[in-house]
Amino acid sequence: MGQCPHTRRRVVVRTEPDLILVSRTNTAHLPGACNHDAPPDYRGWGEIRGVPRAWERLGNAEAIPATGGDNPARVADKRCRHCAASS
């Protein structure tokens, strides 16, 4: 027996990115999500991998430290607005 159409809920499942890049300004970026004029220079950037719900937590203003990359001392404290719009 099916549910009444009025009580059905549509669930949207979003997957977390495997890699989040942390720029020199401590902004979190998704690879390939930004359309910058020039190819980015990733020297001095950090990477976040393996941190549960990192992109979601960044959206809730939680700072997330980098786990690797060229500069693992970086701490992402905000999401890129262009990347957030495309996620």
Side-chain angles (χ1 to χ4, degrees):
M1 317 289 174
Q3 285 183 312
C4 169
H6 298 94
T7 61
R8 288 187 191 149
R9 291 187 343 179
R10 188 173 178 181
V11 178
V12 176
V13 178
R14 294 182 185 223
T15 59
E16 271 293 303
D18 294 330
L19 171 64
I20 299 171
L21 301 170
V22 185
S23 72
R24 292 182 205 95
T25 61
N26 295 327
T27 302
H29 295 271
L30 297 176
C34 284
N35 295 322
H36 297 289
D37 293 333
D41 175 7
Y42 293 114
R43 288 179 291 184
W45 287 43
E47 295 179 355
I48 298 172
R49 290 181 190 263
V51 177
R53 298 180 7 262
W55 189 250
E56 175 188 339
R57 291 164 52 192
L58 282 161
N60 291 326
E62 183 177 337
I64 307 288
T67 59
D70 193 47
N71 187 349
R74 295 245 173 252
V75 178
D77 57 10
K78 59 194 161 291
R79 295 194 302 191
C80 166
R81 62 186 173 101
H82 300 288
C83 293
S86 68
S87 65

